[in-house]
């Protein structure tokens, strides 16, 4: 052990084994470094008071995440023992303290959490080998740090002198890390690195990164100064030219107009390529007669050039906590989407020049896709632009018309950016799945460049015919279904599913957002009309059948309007709507959901289906009639579902005798009729295979199907059950319909993570691999298998 390490150990032995713990947020304290602290927090003030009265030593530990109330779980395990050098109490009750780090320490055990945290700690010793390599690393670190100080305007020059006087490499590394612009995680990594050579190596990498940033900044500053000198010279010459023209009396209206356009070009801060094109067109304009037909065309083009936000944008709000609060204020649930936006803001906070994400919100109508875009813009402090693509068939709507056409204009993308007066808005392309195509082109193909982060920084509009940078724009598209979107376009977007809401979620949304909004729109207040939770649940369950919340808002609006009419007639008392009052306002219930109370039936099985507006419960009915073995399928079934029915019949013919006493030639004497009610609604997909098989076996063996059991899954001729999609929507539909048990493929067990926990608790899930397992759960057992009447 070296002499410095022995001295360090002697000093660390003076640290008590149990220390009060001071959470320092995102600040990391290093040994020998002085750090001031001002606080009015009662717990922290008490901790400091008691520490001053004892050993004057506390443990300072940074937190992994920012929390209003610090807990042991959020603290890093390695921190610094610090002594209180000075303390000053302020009359308002706060204290100002100066800490100095002593040594690295590690938390071994938390011994107290109230009124503040205390922990058992052990000191951590540095590993130092006095080698030539270590001296070289230390000298290189010192040299780089001096270069950083010379380039960074916020670092005082005295830091370089202080660094020269630090005797040991470990202390030098701590000093540099404390004064370098590092993230909380990077500083903590340096603090936890006990090997001095390794610590200096890591720190050297961070210094190299900082040097590169500072050198680029210095180059940019020099380029700007050169451009400013050139601009000042041009300005001086133009002013002289104006003075000469005034003396000669040559000033006219056209010159004034051209000078006005030139001033606007100077103020627009165009990129180089756009500036050259604009000056070329301006030169053409100055040589044209105002009576020329092209004069108005060129002037309009220049007006567009100066009006576009080439370099004008809004500053992002990178306060993650504030953005989270805004998103929660405007929308309930939607955690995946909110997390994605907060992740983007976090990365944007670290990497200032990152490209905007291309997100696609896919979900049924009414779940809040469009309004979520407005909320994201508000959370980020950006402007919001919305462009509906429903029914758009002309490619020029996106890319504009060439200037050879009369009345040509840029495409809608640039038009909306001009209105927003910002080059980094939140740009929502609504209903991207409903874009059409005809002889004028395919707008989806034009969107390929707009929605590709690797291309849109040089987006070329036909009208401008020069690149425009769209990389700073945050594009969000919405769609009800992802399938109609062109595959190449879908591949460019990050798809976020917004599934339908549960009844519990709808009630929260109605209570928190819809009721206040409808009260305000109808001139009412909460003191005049209120809804009980049971009343909202009754309206959701019996008067709407949707994945979103548009219809429930309409029903709430109906109640508000009826109440407003009653108050206009003189009934001004407070009205509290209960479930018994709902039929008075909305009429008799429109939907019946208590399916679990029905009797078990033969030949009728309950299946689960996915639709664009959420999940649905459907029934499969099978009847045997005298015939010659034919198969009748009704209910407007698609090709895939008809194929599933034939596969189910083949399996039933081969295995029906295993579940009842069935004659081998039953299929020669009877026709089998498969019907799925709601015959006007098209139905398709392979997931009804297990439901069809269960209904067939039930009809053939006369064994009833349990009515409280719902099922979904594709089958094979060998009796295997294959995975399907839409698990969350189907589960919500089963719960809403009152089913108690759901049979689904074993491979879909992982998909239940998307189903709300309260729904999972109310339902029993049976995961199967074979049709035999399905039938054991779905069919009512008989004491004796009675021979079927076939």
């Amino acid at each position: 052990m070296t002499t410095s390490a022995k001295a360090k150990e002697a000093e660390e032995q003076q640290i008590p084994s149990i220390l009060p713990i001071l959470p320092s947020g995102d600040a990391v304290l290093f040994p020998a470094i002085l750090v001031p602290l001002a606080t009015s927090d009662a717990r922290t003030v008490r901790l400091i008071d008691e520490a001053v009265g004892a050993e004057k030593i506390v443990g300072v530990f940074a937190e992994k995440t920012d929390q209003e109330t610090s807990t042991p779980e959020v603290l890093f395990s390695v921190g610094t023992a610090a002594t209180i050098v000075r303390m000053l109490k302020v009359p308002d009750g706060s204290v100002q303290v100066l800490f100095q780090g002593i040594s690295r320490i590690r938390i071994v055990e938390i011994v107290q959490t109230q009124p503040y945290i205390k922990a058992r700690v052990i000191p951590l010793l540095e590993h130092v080998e006095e080698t030539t390599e270590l001296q070289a690393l230390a000298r290189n670190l010192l040299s780089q740090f001096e270069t950083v100080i010379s380039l960074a305007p916020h670092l005082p020059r005295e830091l370089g002198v202080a660094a020269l006087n630090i005797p040991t490499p470990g202390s030098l590394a701590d000093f540099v890390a404390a004064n370098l612009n590092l993230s909380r995680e990077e500083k903590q990594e340096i603090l936890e690195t006990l090997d001095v050579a390794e610590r200096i190596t890591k720190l050297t990498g961070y210094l190299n990164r900082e040097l590169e940033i500072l050198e680029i900044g210095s180059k940019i500053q020099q380029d700007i100064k050169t451009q400013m000198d050139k601009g000042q010279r041009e300005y001086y010459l133009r002013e002289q030219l104006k003075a000469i023209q005034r003396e000669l009396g040559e000033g006219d209206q056209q010159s004034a107009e051209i000078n006005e356009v030139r001033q606007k070009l100077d103020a627009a801060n165009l990129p180089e390529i756009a500036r050259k094109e604009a000056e070329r067109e301006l030169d053409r304009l100055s040589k044209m007669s105002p009576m020329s037909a092209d004069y108005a065309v060129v002037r309009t083009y220049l007006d567009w050039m100066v009006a576009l936000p080439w370099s004008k944008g809004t500053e992002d709000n990178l306060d993650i906590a504030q953005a989270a609060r805004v998103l929660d204020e405007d929308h309930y649930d939607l955690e995946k989407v909110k997390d994605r936006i907060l992740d983007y803001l976090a990365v944007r906070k670290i990497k200032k020049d990152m490209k905007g994400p291309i997100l696609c919100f896919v979900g049924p109508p009414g779940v809040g896709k469009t309004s979520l875009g407005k909320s994201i813009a508000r959370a980020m402090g950006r402007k919001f632009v919305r462009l509906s693509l429903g029914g758009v068939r002309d490619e020029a709507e996106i890319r504009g018309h060439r200037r050879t056409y009369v009345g040509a204009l840029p495409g809608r993308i640039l038009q909306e950016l001009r209105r927003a007066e910002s080059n980094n808005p939140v740009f929502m392309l609504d209903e991207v799945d409903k874009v059409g195509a005809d002889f004028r082109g395919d707008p989806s193909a034009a969107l390929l460049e707009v929605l590709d982060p690797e291309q849109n920084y040089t987006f070329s509009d036909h009208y401008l015919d020069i690149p425009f940078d769209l990389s700073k724009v945050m594009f969000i598209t919405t769609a009800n279904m992802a399938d109609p979107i062109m595959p190449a376009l879908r591949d460019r977007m990050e798809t976020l599913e917004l599934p339908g809401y549960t009844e519990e979620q709808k009630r929260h949304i109605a209570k928190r957002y819809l009721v206040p909004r409808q009260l305000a729109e109808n001139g009412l207040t909460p003191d005049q009309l209120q809804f009980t939770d049971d009343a909202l649940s009754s309206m959701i369950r019996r008067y709407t059948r949707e994945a979103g919340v548009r219809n429930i808002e309409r029903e709430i609006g109906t109640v508000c309007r009826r109440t407003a009419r009653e108050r206009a007639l003189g009934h001004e008392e407070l009205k509290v709507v209960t479930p018994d009052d709902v039929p008075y306002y909305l009429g008799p219930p429109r939907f019946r959901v208590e399916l679990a109370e029905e009797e078990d039936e033969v030949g009728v099985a309950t299946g689960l289906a996915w639709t664009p507006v959420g999940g649905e419960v459907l029934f499969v009915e099978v009847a045997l009639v005298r015939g010659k073995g034919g198969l009748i399928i009704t209910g407007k079934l698609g090709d895939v579902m008809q194929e599933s029915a034939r596969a189910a019949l083949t399996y039933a013919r081969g295995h029906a005798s295993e579940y009842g006493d069935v004659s081998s030639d039953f299929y020669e004497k009877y026709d089998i009729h498969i019907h799925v009610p709601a015959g006007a609604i098209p139905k398709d997909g392979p997931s009804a295979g297990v439901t069809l098989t269960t209904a067939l076996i039930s009809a053939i063996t006369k064994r009833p199907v349990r009515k409280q059991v719902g099922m979904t899954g594709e089958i094979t001729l060998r009796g295997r059950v294959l995975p399907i999609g839409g698990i969350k929507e189907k589960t919500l539909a089963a719960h809403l319909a009152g089913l108690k048990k759901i049979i689904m493929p074993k491979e879909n067990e992982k998909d239940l993570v998307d189903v709300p926990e309260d729904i999972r608790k109310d339902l029993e899930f049976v995961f199967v691999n074979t049709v035999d397992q399905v039938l054991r759960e779905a069919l009512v057992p008989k004491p004796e298998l009675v021979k079927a009447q076939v």
Side-chain angles (χ1 to χ4, degrees):
M1 184 180 296
T2 64
T3 305
S4 61
K6 291 179 180 177
K8 184 99 174 175
E9 182 181 14
E11 182 183 16
E12 288 167 342
Q13 287 174 350
Q14 302 173 5
I15 299 173
S17 60
I18 297 178
L19 285 180
I21 303 301
L22 176 63
S24 60
D26 61 352
V28 179
L29 176 63
F30 288 88
I33 303 300
L34 289 167
V35 173
L37 171 70
T39 181
S40 59
D41 179 65
R43 295 176 62 188
T44 306
V45 171
R46 181 171 176 180
L47 183 152
I48 293 170
D49 283 340
E50 295 185 5
V52 169
E55 292 87 354
K56 292 188 178 183
I57 298 178
V58 299
V60 180
F61 287 80
E63 297 173 272
K64 300 173 185 175
T65 57
D66 293 329
Q67 302 275 347
E68 291 186 6
T69 303
S70 300
T71 59
E73 291 77 15
V74 301
L75 298 177
F76 286 104
S77 61
V78 175
T80 304
T83 182
I84 299 174
V85 179
R86 184 180 303 164
M87 183 188 76
L88 175 63
K89 288 194 174 182
V90 183
D92 62 2
S94 63
V95 296
Q96 297 178 358
V97 189
L98 184 63
F99 291 104
Q100 182 173 23
I102 302 174
S103 169
R104 289 171 169 80
I105 56 174
R106 183 190 301 277
I107 292 177
V108 177
E109 177 188 5
I110 301 296
V111 298
Q112 174 185 305
T113 59
Q114 294 296 333
Y116 52 81
I117 303 172
K118 274 190 176 183
R120 190 180 306 280
V121 300
I122 57 171
L124 301 177
L125 302 182
E126 290 182 341
H127 304 304
V128 185
E129 292 185 9
E130 297 289 352
T131 62
T132 306
E133 181 184 0
L134 181 60
Q135 292 180 0
L137 286 172
R139 290 183 183 180
N140 180 60
L141 179 69
L142 181 59
S143 174
Q144 286 184 311
F145 185 55
E146 289 176 340
T147 306
V148 169
I149 292 173
S150 66
L151 292 174
H154 64 278
L155 293 179
R157 298 295 178 264
E158 291 77 7
L159 286 179
V161 178
L164 281 171
N165 294 322
I166 297 176
T168 62
S171 299
L172 175 63
D174 291 344
F175 180 79
V176 172
N179 290 283
L180 201 61
N181 185 21
L182 301 179
S183 67
R184 170 177 17 197
E185 289 74 15
E186 290 169 346
K187 285 190 176 182
Q188 184 65 29
E189 182 185 8
I190 296 297
L191 182 67
E192 294 181 3
T193 305
L194 301 181
D195 186 278
V196 173
E198 182 183 354
R199 188 189 311 163
I200 295 178
T201 302
K202 290 180 180 179
L203 195 55
T204 301
Y206 296 143
L207 269 173
N208 285 331
R209 180 190 67 190
E210 189 70 16
L211 271 174
E212 184 178 353
I213 294 171
L214 291 171
E215 287 171 353
I216 292 173
S218 178
K219 181 178 180 300
I220 292 172
Q221 194 69 23
Q222 186 62 35
D223 292 345
I224 291 173
K225 185 176 183 302
T226 304
Q227 292 173 5
M228 287 178 62
D229 293 342
K230 180 182 177 183
Q232 289 173 349
R233 178 176 177 276
E234 291 178 354
Y235 173 78
Y236 176 71
L237 292 174
R238 285 200 184 96
E239 289 299 316
Q240 283 186 323
L241 180 61
K242 288 178 185 178
I244 293 171
Q245 287 176 339
R246 281 196 301 269
E247 290 295 326
L248 295 175
E250 294 181 353
D252 56 19
Q253 184 177 354
Q254 183 181 3
S255 297
E257 188 175 342
I258 291 173
N259 288 334
E260 180 187 355
V261 174
R262 180 171 279 112
Q263 290 174 2
K264 290 181 179 178
L265 284 175
D266 292 338
N269 195 17
L270 275 64
E272 186 64 27
I273 185 170
R275 177 79 188 191
K276 288 182 179 179
E277 181 67 17
E279 288 180 347
R280 187 178 71 83
E281 292 293 329
L282 184 60
D283 186 55
R284 281 185 59 209
L285 186 70
S286 65
K287 298 174 183 177
M288 285 183 186
S289 167
M291 305 302 295
S292 170
D294 285 344
Y295 188 89
V297 174
V298 175
R299 176 60 200 270
T300 303
Y301 176 80
L302 289 171
D303 287 342
W304 273 102
M305 290 286 283
V306 299
L308 287 172
W310 297 93
S311 57
K312 181 166 48 172
T314 55
E315 185 175 351
D316 283 349
N317 170 29
L318 300 179
D319 186 339
I320 310 297
Q322 172 65 17
R325 282 194 295 272
V326 171
L327 292 173
D328 289 337
E329 283 175 10
D330 293 347
H331 289 83
Y332 180 78
D333 197 48
L334 304 180
E335 295 302 328
K336 287 185 178 180
V337 180
K338 293 178 182 177
D339 287 344
R340 180 62 182 87
I341 300 304
L342 296 178
D343 290 347
Y344 166 72
L345 289 178
V347 177
R348 179 79 174 76
K349 193 171 184 178
I350 301 171
K351 190 177 185 334
K352 303 296 184 183
D353 60 343
M354 74 171 295
K355 298 175 181 177
I358 312 294
L359 306 179
C360 180
F361 296 161
V362 178
V367 296
K369 299 184 295 296
T370 304
S371 61
L372 186 58
K374 297 180 183 177
S375 179
I376 291 170
R378 190 164 77 91
M380 297 176 64
R382 293 190 180 189
K383 294 186 177 181
F384 177 74
V385 176
R386 176 181 170 273
L387 173 60
S388 178
L389 297 178
V392 173
R393 295 177 175 273
D394 189 356
E395 176 253 0
E397 290 281 339
I398 307 299
R399 302 181 69 99
H401 294 87
R402 300 191 185 278
R403 279 181 283 162
T404 52
Y405 296 102
V406 176
L409 286 173
R412 295 288 301 279
I413 300 292
L414 293 188
Q415 289 184 38
E416 296 298 335
L417 288 179
R418 177 190 180 184
R419 292 190 185 98
E421 298 181 344
S422 172
N423 64 359
N424 64 340
V426 173
F427 202 125
M428 174 159 281
L429 299 171
D430 224 352
E431 312 294 354
V432 71
D433 57 331
K434 299 174 181 62
V435 174
D438 60 12
F439 65 93
R440 292 170 291 184
D442 186 355
S444 294
L447 287 172
L448 292 176
E449 181 183 6
V450 176
L451 300 180
D452 189 343
E454 300 301 324
Q455 300 181 35
N456 64 7
Y457 68 95
T458 56
F459 170 69
S460 179
D461 186 275
H462 288 159
Y463 182 80
L464 293 185
D465 202 26
I466 53 175
F468 188 92
D469 186 3
L470 296 178
S471 64
K472 297 178 182 178
V473 179
M474 182 176 186
F475 283 103
I476 299 176
T477 64
T478 71
N480 295 130
M481 300 179 66
D483 294 341
I485 304 174
M486 178 192 294
L489 182 59
R490 190 166 64 240
D491 182 63
R492 282 164 164 76
M493 301 183 291
E494 179 182 347
T495 301
L496 297 176
E497 297 282 349
L498 276 70
Y501 294 115
T502 66
E503 180 183 325
E504 179 77 14
Q505 291 169 333
K506 288 181 182 178
R507 188 171 71 249
H508 278 289
I509 293 170
K511 190 173 182 179
R512 185 172 171 182
Y513 303 101
L514 307 184
V515 171
R517 185 160 65 202
Q518 286 300 318
L519 287 176
E521 288 184 3
N522 290 280
L524 300 174
T525 66
D527 296 332
Q528 297 169 342
L529 176 63
Q530 297 176 4
F531 293 81
T532 66
D533 288 353
D534 291 339
L536 292 173
S537 295
S538 177
M539 294 167 67
I540 293 167
R541 188 181 302 120
R542 298 181 181 278
Y543 291 87
T544 65
R545 186 61 59 86
E546 59 176 343
V549 292
R550 283 200 181 121
N551 286 330
I552 185 60
E553 183 171 11
R554 293 189 186 102
E555 303 301 339
I556 293 171
T558 301
V559 176
C560 291
R561 289 189 294 273
R562 177 68 67 86
T563 304
R565 188 173 75 181
E566 291 176 351
R567 294 187 66 82
L569 294 174
H571 304 287
E572 297 188 357
E573 65 278 2
L574 168 64
K575 180 61 182 175
V576 179
V577 180
T578 65
D580 295 335
D581 298 324
V582 174
Y584 167 74
Y585 292 102
L586 304 180
R590 303 188 190 110
F591 300 99
R592 181 167 172 265
V593 295
E594 296 299 331
L595 298 179
E597 298 176 359
E598 300 286 346
E599 297 292 332
D600 298 339
E601 294 185 42
V602 172
V604 181
T606 305
L608 304 174
W610 177 92
T611 71
V613 296
E616 290 286 347
V617 171
L618 58 81
F619 299 99
V620 174
E621 300 176 349
V622 175
L624 304 182
V625 294
R626 289 286 180 180
K628 298 181 179 179
L631 175 63
I632 305 168
I633 300 176
T634 57
K636 205 168 184 179
L637 308 187
D639 292 340
V640 176
M641 198 166 180
Q642 290 189 36
E643 291 175 358
S644 293
R646 293 188 180 94
L649 178 59
T650 300
Y651 181 85
R653 284 178 172 177
H655 298 82
S657 59
E658 299 174 10
Y659 305 98
D661 204 0
V662 181
S663 61
S664 60
D665 59 348
F666 77 93
Y667 55 88
E668 296 177 359
K669 300 178 182 179
Y670 289 88
D671 288 342
I672 297 178
H673 188 165
I674 299 176
H675 177 68
V676 182
I681 301 174
K683 311 166 191 71
D684 205 359
S687 65
V690 296
T691 314
L692 290 163
T693 305
T694 302
L696 282 167
I697 296 291
S698 172
I700 294 169
T701 62
K702 304 302 181 185
R703 293 176 60 182
V705 181
R706 291 186 174 97
K707 206 61 180 179
Q708 292 184 336
V709 175
M711 60 196 77
T712 181
E714 181 183 354
I715 65 163
T716 68
L717 292 177
R718 296 177 298 154
R720 303 290 298 173
V721 179
L722 304 181
I724 40 77
I727 290 298
K728 179 179 180 180
E729 290 81 1
K730 293 176 180 180
T731 304
L732 298 183
H735 182 264
L736 186 62
L739 299 179
K740 301 301 181 185
K741 181 186 292 188
I742 298 180
I743 302 173
M744 66 174 61
K746 176 69 174 176
E747 292 185 41
N748 285 118
E749 184 176 1
K750 63 182 185 303
D751 299 321
L752 287 181
V753 68
D754 294 329
V755 179
E757 185 176 355
D758 58 326
I759 302 296
R760 296 202 302 266
K761 288 180 179 178
D762 286 348
L763 294 170
E764 178 186 352
F765 294 92
V766 178
F767 304 102
V768 298
N769 289 314
T770 64
V771 174
D772 181 60
Q773 295 171 315
V774 176
L775 296 174
R776 283 202 301 267
E777 293 289 340
L779 297 180
V780 175
K782 287 188 176 183
E784 297 179 3
L785 293 177
V786 181
K787 182 177 180 180
Q789 298 177 5
V790 293

